[in-house]
Amino acid sequence: MIIAFAGKGGVGKSTISSQLIRNLAKRSLVLAVDADPNSNLGEKLGLETFGTIGGIRNDLVADPDQVPASISKQDYILTKVQQNVSEGDNVDLLVMGRPEGEGCYCFVNDVLRNCFNDMIPKYRFTVVDNEAGMEHLSRKVLPRADVLVLVSDPTITGVRTAARLSQLADEVGVKVGRRILVINNIPQMDYTPLMDEAARLGLTEVVPIERDDHVTACAMRGEVVDVPDDSAFAKSVGHLAELIVK
């Protein structure tokens, strides 16, 4: 199952995806893919990163002759991808990064697509922390999103932005199964207007996450997000996990 996150910057997308990964890792092996240019998913999971897929692409485009004659380009890239995997407790992490500079990335993207098609079936869950534009999904480097989790801040504008991202996925040809809206960081007040707006926009599966001091405390101590299981935030993400795997 491929679970893709999308949302504008600053709504807590990486924080929620990292907590979901921790939750799902209690059930089975998870492949975490950091496809956001900020590339901080590894920090939130407490995992060291060894390089990016974008770096592999850049190196190959800059110097195609680096591939030894004794190995195919496809096998060479697959080996490089495997070297960039960071391993944690039931979690493997890959950081996508961005292509930089001039040159054609079409062949490398095709090979990466084959790499992911080979890797993803080995995991019960693949969680992709995307940028708002969902570049890697739109370029078909990652094949699909069985569940698209759209993260919003607790505003009408945020909910509408999430709905537009859902439409963008269709416009760029991403194969999407279910769509779940997460409204994050809700203050302790009536949030019915947000739920009503989500329903009006056709987002019928909604998970509200109330503001939680444990998340703020994690951010003050560092990037790692490891909140108590009985916290409001962890319980809400647990509900999201149950909704995804049902």
Side-chain angles (χ1 to χ4, degrees), residues 123-171:
Y123 299 83
R124 182 180 175 191
F125 303 107
T126 297
V127 179
V128 186
D129 183 14
N130 283 287
E131 62 178 329
M134 295 177 281
E135 174 189 351
H136 299 290
L137 282 167
S138 66
R139 292 179 181 273
K140 307 296 189 296
V141 174
L142 292 159
R144 66 187 186 280
D146 298 307
V147 180
L148 179 60
V149 180
L150 302 152
V151 183
S152 169
D153 57 20
T155 65
I156 292 293
T157 299
V159 172
R160 290 173 180 168
T161 299
R164 283 195 291 272
L165 289 174
S166 179
Q167 293 173 352
L168 174 64
D170 294 330
E171 290 169 4

Side-chain angles (χ1 to χ4, degrees), residues 185-186 209-217 227-228 230-234:
N185 205 28
I186 300 175
I209 298 182
E210 294 186 359
R211 190 168 295 164
D212 191 328
D213 289 342
H214 286 100
V215 177
T216 304
V227 300
D230 60 353
S231 67
F233 178 74

Side-chain angles (χ1 to χ4, degrees), residues 67 71-79 107 110-111 114-115:
V67 180
I71 187 172
S72 71
K73 251 184 198 179
Q74 181 155 330
D75 288 341
Y76 179 79
I77 293 175
L78 178 58
T79 299
F107 172 77
D110 284 343
V111 175
N114 292 334
C115 287

Side-chain angles (χ1 to χ4, degrees), residues 19-141:
Q19 183 67 27
L20 178 68
I21 289 165
R22 289 180 183 276
N23 185 292
L24 295 176
K26 297 175 183 178
R27 310 165 190 245
S28 189
L29 185 63
V30 179
L31 175 62
V33 180
D34 189 345
D36 192 306
N38 290 328
S39 299
N40 63 358
L41 183 59
E43 294 176 353
K44 292 184 181 298
L45 290 168
L47 293 175
E48 181 183 359
T49 57
F50 301 110
T52 70
I53 305 303
I56 296 173
R57 287 188 292 195
N58 296 334
D59 290 345
L60 269 176
V61 170
D63 181 16
D65 294 331
Q66 68 181 278
V67 180
S70 59
I71 187 172
S72 71
K73 251 184 198 179
Q74 181 155 330
D75 288 341
Y76 179 79
I77 293 175
L78 178 58
T79 299
K80 286 289 187 180
V81 168
Q82 291 170 338
Q83 289 173 350
N84 281 352
V85 172
S86 303
E87 298 181 355
D89 294 334
N90 235 23
V91 177
D92 289 346
L93 171 69
L94 273 175
V95 179
M96 295 298 291
R98 277 187 178 277
E100 298 175 1
E102 299 179 354
C104 179
Y105 290 83
C106 299
F107 172 77
V108 183
N109 283 342
D110 284 343
V111 175
L112 284 173
R113 188 178 302 118
N114 292 334
C115 287
F116 278 110
N117 285 338
D118 179 65
M119 291 178 66
I120 286 173
K122 298 175 182 177
Y123 299 83
R124 182 180 175 191
F125 303 107
T126 297
V127 179
V128 186
D129 183 14
N130 283 287
E131 62 178 329
M134 295 177 281
E135 174 189 351
H136 299 290
L137 282 167
S138 66
R139 292 179 181 273
K140 307 296 189 296
V141 174

